[in-house]
Amino acid sequence: MYHHVKKLMFTVRVDEPDPRFGNMLLEQFGGANGELAAAMQYSIQGLNCEDPDRKDLLMDIGTEELSHLEVVGSLARLHLKPMKFDREAAEADPLIAIAGGGGVNLFNSQGSAWTADYLKITGELDVDLRSNIAAEARAKIVYERLINFCDDAGTKDALQFLMTREITHMKAFSRALESMNKPTFSIGRIAPTPGLVDQFFNDSTGSGDNGEIDTRGPWNEGDDWIFTESPALQSSDPGAAASIVAESSPSEPLVGLDDLLIDQLRDILHAEKQLTKALPQMIEAARYDQLCELFTVHLAETEAQIERLDECFELLGKKPRAKACKGMQGLVEEGEEVIKEGARKDDAAADLALIGAAQRVEHYEIAGYTTARNLAQQLRHSAVVALLSKNLAEEENADQLLNQVARSLMSVAKMPAPIEQSFVEDEPAGG
């Protein structure tokens, strides 16, 4: 929650209002590098953050940026105030004077409206922290330029405070990024192509009008760098072999992938058929209506999934013959044990254990469908990919629904009653 305290984080003082400078200040009020953009960027990143420690960091700084917005807004308003009454002052910015009455609004110094397009939010914490470091650096430069264009002492004091806090935030974001212990160039989850990632293309060549020449430095030589002449120049020479290191899908499918895909599909088919026999037992064992209904719906989905698997075999020209899936056999046996043990448990505890068994099954199926779909993609069986993707989406959705039911059950689960202890005073010696 937010709570407004009727006091600025830094008390502003303007001795000589300057409407033109007030217009410049709006860049930090409603501009791309301004305080509102920073407050929204960090706060929304914080809402999305699943890391509780760094979520706290993002919310702390996001909230401080709202305080900075108030300081900048108050400062700008004092500089713009003469526009309310003075024609010459109003000419400095007719939009503010006429449409805004000499007050601040969510516009930058050019009158362009603030937009959420300013925000850099990816949902990847390390990437977002790097964006935040860059945002603070840009804001620092803007404040530095504002200070250089300002003659009012009180305004300069406020701007110096705000500029300094940008460095503080850069420092905090940098330390947070370092504390994640991620390699500097490890971005996302998919690894770059080996070899290609270390190639530096010399794409700007020749001598410039001002004497520019090709240069070398730590950005293109030493360590693992491979300095490569411009690919464009290479391609212009018919006899030159391309030196770009890259990996691509082979024109012909790799030997053995077809058999591997069929093997995976037969394993999944047997797993699903086992599940059609296990789910009715789970439906009967479930005590809460919501869980019972979920299992019932998923039984119908499983039967439809088997039909899609049969269609996959038909598309591949193979018979839909199942192969014994020992993994699912083990999970079904565990589920049967959970049902038996649940007879001695309270309703919520029994159903939570049942959900645990069901989610193990879902995760197993998700892994199987992901592998089969990826193989089908590599083999360019687009129709099979579509069918497997639909089954995979249903399994992932079932897992999420089980999560939701589990959270509901946890809120109603009975907590163990406190143990009552009686204290007896020691009898007097010899009593």
Side-chain angles (χ1 to χ4, degrees), residues 299-339:
L299 175 58
E301 286 179 337
T302 303
E303 291 168 346
Q305 288 167 5
I306 291 173
E307 292 178 3
R308 291 189 201 109
L309 288 170
D310 288 344
E311 190 175 346
C312 288
F313 283 107
E314 184 178 345
L315 289 167
L316 296 169
K318 299 290 183 179
K319 292 182 179 180
R321 187 175 71 252
K323 167 193 169 185
C325 179
K326 296 179 181 179
M328 184 60 79
Q329 286 174 350
L331 290 171
V332 169
E333 288 174 6
E334 281 190 8
E336 291 171 350
E337 290 178 9
V338 166
I339 292 173

Side-chain angles (χ1 to χ4, degrees), residues 193-203 226-235 240-248:
T193 301
L196 179 63
V197 72
D198 296 320
Q199 279 192 284
F200 184 91
F201 294 151
N202 187 29
D203 281 332
I226 303 168
F227 191 79
T228 306
E229 291 303 328
S230 172
L233 295 179
Q234 293 177 44
S235 63
S243 60
I244 297 176
V245 178
E247 292 182 356
S248 60

Side-chain angles (χ1 to χ4, degrees), residues 208-238:
D209 293 337
N210 296 314
E212 305 98 329
I213 59 173
D214 289 355
T215 58
R216 304 295 296 271
W219 55 87
N220 64 12
E221 68 177 353
D223 295 330
D224 299 323
W225 283 120
I226 303 168
F227 191 79
T228 306
E229 291 303 328
S230 172
L233 295 179
Q234 293 177 44
S235 63
S236 65
D237 182 357

Side-chain angles (χ1 to χ4, degrees), residues 415-421:
M415 298 297 292
I419 299 173
E420 295 183 5
Q421 295 181 342

Side-chain angles (χ1 to χ4, degrees), residues 157-170:
D157 288 343
L159 294 176
Q160 177 71 27
F161 168 81
L162 293 165
M163 183 190 73
T164 300
R165 294 304 296 171
E166 306 298 337
I167 300 299
T168 305
H169 297 166
M170 280 183 67

Side-chain angles (χ1 to χ4, degrees), residues 333-408:
E333 288 174 6
E334 281 190 8
E336 291 171 350
E337 290 178 9
V338 166
I339 292 173
K340 291 177 183 177
E341 293 171 359
R344 300 189 297 272
K345 296 178 180 176
D346 291 332
D347 290 351
D351 274 3
L352 282 168
L354 200 56
I355 288 172
Q359 287 195 284
R360 289 186 183 89
V361 168
E362 293 305 326
H363 295 171
Y364 185 82
E365 290 186 301
I366 288 169
Y369 276 119
T370 300
T371 300
R373 183 198 59 183
N374 291 345
L375 286 169
Q377 284 178 329
Q378 184 68 21
L379 292 164
R380 300 179 178 86
H381 295 309
S382 56
V384 174
V385 170
L387 291 167
L388 294 176
S389 295
K390 189 163 186 179
N391 282 11
L392 176 59
E394 288 178 350
E395 302 296 0
E396 290 173 337
N397 183 60
D399 182 50
Q400 290 299 315
L401 292 174
L402 286 167
N403 268 335
Q404 293 175 18
V405 176
R407 284 195 290 269
S408 298

Side-chain angles (χ1 to χ4, degrees), residues 111-126:
S112 299
W114 186 90
T115 169
D117 289 341
Y118 294 152
L119 308 187
K120 302 295 183 287
I121 300 166
T122 68
E124 291 290 334
L125 182 56
D126 60 320

